[in-house]
Amino acid sequence: MIGDIEDDFAGRLLGWYNRSARVLPWRIAPNSGGVPDPYRIWLAEVMLQQTTVAAVAGYFARFTERWPTVADLAVAEDTDVMAAWAGLGYYARARNLLACARAVVRDHGSIFPDSEAGLRALPGIGDYTAASVAAIAFGRAAVVVDANIERVIARHRLIETPLPLAKREIRAALAPLVPDDRPGDFAQALMDLGATICTPRGPACAICPLMADCRARGRTDIERLPVKPPKKAKPHRHGLAHWIERDGRIWLVRRPDKGMLGGMRALPGGEWTDAPPSESGIVSVDHGFTHFDLTLTLVRREAPPEGPDAAAEGIWWPIADLDAAGLPTLYRKLTDKMLERDA
């Protein structure tokens, strides 16, 4: 049986993909004769980490219009890129994006390496992104495993080991199925299958091209695959942000490059701690990060002191033009709530 699966798996999957591939702005349609652009593939893969296709599409269009090549991105100002990324989350990705673009230009003559090993050596590129870019952009027979592919393979091969231990079994099961011909389409087909048919809830097994030998098909517990580890309770932290206003402008600072929301414009404020603040604020918002939840409270403060260092520490930004400030979602939620309160 396993031999039959390995012989026919790619053919069935690619046949379905030829008919059903999603139209995505960074993708070359199957059998179109188009040549993938490694820059666009890499940019999309970085943006798609921990983020949905729907959320990424607009950002991708704006980035590629403003910085159409890796050389253009490499010379961009950090603050411009961070502002353009605002709202997409996981801001370390934007810092790594710049570091990688600059390394490609500086060390590789603006040409991306065409192997997994070469790609993995670039800043901010891990195993998944290296495999994905190698397969999709350069036709390398790489084993690409994202969350959608994990789900498809865990169900097809009935892998019941809990994640993250199951990752090794999933890769081992997938590796012999990757074809030498069209490995990029194969990876994208698995992604599409997981996104549109082998979904977390209510998978459409009856129309799946792999249903004939899927070992989880018909099981009442198919939705539990892949098996997730028990969720750990996230700690809850608290912080203050300062609303400092003068003549229709608000004082914004640039957060340190290292740490949460590094390099982003933000409202000034103190450290985030486990204890709630002792003073009451004007408004507050709750926001979830990967490893903790945060309640951020806004308080009024007097204007920052004048002096030679003031310009380096922050900027007076027009309140009416806050959309252009590129505030991360946390601070945008807080300023929106403040402005709604004063409306």
Side-chain angles (χ1 to χ4, degrees):
M1 166 128 179
I2 291 178
D4 293 339
I5 292 172
E6 294 178 0
D7 289 341
D8 195 40
F9 186 100
R12 285 177 288 152
L13 182 67
L14 288 169
W16 170 81
Y17 183 69
N18 290 341
R19 301 184 301 273
S20 307
R22 291 180 293 175
V23 176
L24 301 174
W26 48 84
R27 178 178 285 178
I28 300 297
N31 298 320
S32 66
V35 178
D37 180 351
Y39 169 66
R40 293 171 67 88
I41 301 300
W42 161 75
L43 179 61
E45 288 297 342
V46 174
M47 287 185 165
L48 286 165
Q49 293 166 15
Q50 306 293 324
T51 312
T52 65
V53 166
V56 162
Y59 283 89
F60 181 84
R62 290 189 291 273
F63 260 74
T64 51
E65 180 178 1
R66 188 170 183 182
W67 301 294
T69 70
V70 68
D72 295 317
L73 183 59
V75 297
E77 294 291 339
D78 290 41
T79 52
D80 289 342
V81 173
M82 298 306 292
W85 193 275
L88 196 54
Y90 300 92
Y91 294 99
R93 292 180 298 166
R95 297 193 294 274
N96 287 334
L97 199 75
L98 274 169
C100 184
R102 289 165 181 166
V104 169
V105 171
R106 182 186 64 243
D107 303 330
H108 300 279
S110 301
I111 298 173
F112 279 85
D114 63 359
S115 67
E116 281 188 82
L119 290 161
R120 201 180 297 114
L122 294 170
I125 293 190
D127 291 343
Y128 164 75
T129 304
S132 185
V133 175
I136 298 170
F138 298 111
R140 304 297 185 190
V143 181
V144 182
V145 184
D146 71 352
N148 281 320
I149 296 174
E150 279 182 351
R151 185 166 57 256
V152 171
I153 299 302
R155 289 173 177 177
H156 189 266
R157 303 305 285 268
L158 195 57
I159 295 173
E160 299 185 87
T161 304
L163 293 170
L165 291 177
K167 290 178 180 290
R168 180 175 296 179
E169 290 181 57
I170 290 169
R171 286 185 61 84
L174 179 58
L177 306 177
V178 178
D180 292 327
D181 181 43
R182 300 178 65 191
D185 282 352
F186 177 84
Q188 292 175 108
L190 282 174
M191 295 173 190
D192 280 11
L193 193 71
T196 63
I197 289 182
C198 194
T199 51
R201 299 286 177 267
C205 298
I207 60 171
C208 177
L210 306 178
M211 64 179 177
D213 44 28
C214 176
R215 297 174 183 177
R217 185 188 177 202
R219 291 177 64 108
T220 58
D221 63 347
I222 190 172
E223 291 183 355
R224 74 182 180 90
L225 297 170
V227 179
K228 306 288 196 305
K231 283 190 175 180
K232 295 181 180 179
K234 290 200 290 187
H236 197 112
R237 304 178 72 182
H238 302 265
L240 286 177
H242 303 156
W243 184 270
I244 305 170
E245 183 178 347
R246 175 193 293 175
D247 300 327
R249 296 172 180 266
I250 188 172
W251 186 249
L252 298 180
V253 297
R254 184 174 181 271
R255 291 179 63 85
D257 289 331
K258 301 291 185 180
M260 298 293 296
L261 310 179
M264 303 292 292
R265 290 194 187 101
L267 296 172
E271 297 291 327
W272 301 340
T273 65
D274 295 333
S278 57
E279 57 186 310
S280 59
I282 313 168
V283 295
S284 64
V285 296
D286 294 319
H287 188 77
F289 291 102
T290 306
H291 300 298
F292 65 92
D293 293 322
L294 174 71
T295 297
L296 191 61
T297 300
L298 188 65
V299 296
R300 287 191 186 275
R301 288 285 187 266
E302 295 299 320
E306 299 291 348
D309 295 331
E313 294 171 359
I315 184 173
W316 288 108
W317 196 277
I319 295 174
D321 198 28
L322 269 176
D323 284 343
L327 295 177
T329 302
L330 166 64
Y331 289 97
R332 191 66 229 230
K333 286 164 62 176
L334 197 59
T335 57
D336 284 350
K337 195 166 184 180
M338 176 65 179
L339 295 174
E340 287 172 7
R341 174 188 177 277
D342 288 349

